[in-house]
Amino acid sequence: MDENHFQLVLESRRSALPAARRALRSWLAPSRLNHQEREDFILAIGEVLANAIIHGNQQEAHRQVQLAGRFEEDGHFITVSIQDEGEGLFTPSELYDPLSESGRGLGIACDLVDEFELGAKPGLVILGKRASQVEPL
């Protein structure tokens, strides 16, 4: 695997999330994203991963979550896909209920990325983040 691509397979355990975030942070370091963009993207990916583990795979350790990413446009745009083994979301309205006591993670993720797509396969979410042109002061 070259440095423009990233793959990780996780067991469906919450305890897998910190290591996944560390691996993502390391892979994203050479991207064109500034520090805030990178941290926002890691937070968004983490929220989708948590959703995949908790809701998609019901925290059943034998079920896996697949994470794949790639740099595009010379690192100015990054896509990451998260695939769980669950049944998936049925409608975009299931993404975010601001009055719910839980389940706001996907809405947060959607707000932090430039592209949020429910994939054609159940349990697939694709996130995209574009680097800004100017590093913030």
Side-chain angles (χ1 to χ4, degrees), residues 25-74:
R25 192 169 278 111
S26 177
W27 175 66
L28 288 169
S31 75
R32 305 281 185 186
L33 299 176
N34 66 41
H35 176 76
Q36 187 62 55
E37 292 166 337
R38 201 167 35 252
E39 292 303 311
D40 286 351
F41 200 34
I42 291 166
L43 177 58
I45 295 165
E47 290 294 333
V48 175
L49 283 173
N51 187 78
I53 289 169
I54 296 165
H55 302 292
N57 287 349
Q58 304 295 308
Q59 298 186 71
E60 295 175 6
H62 68 279
R63 297 171 93 181
Q64 296 181 329
V65 177
Q66 309 263 341
L67 179 64
R70 70 178 183 273
F71 290 167
E72 299 177 20
E73 300 174 20
D74 196 30

Side-chain angles (χ1 to χ4, degrees), residues 7-29:
Q7 285 190 312
L8 187 63
V9 178
L10 305 171
E11 288 183 344
S12 292
R13 298 178 190 267
R14 289 181 191 197
S15 60
L17 292 170
R21 286 198 279 294
R22 283 191 300 275
L24 280 163
R25 192 169 278 111
S26 177
W27 175 66
L28 288 169

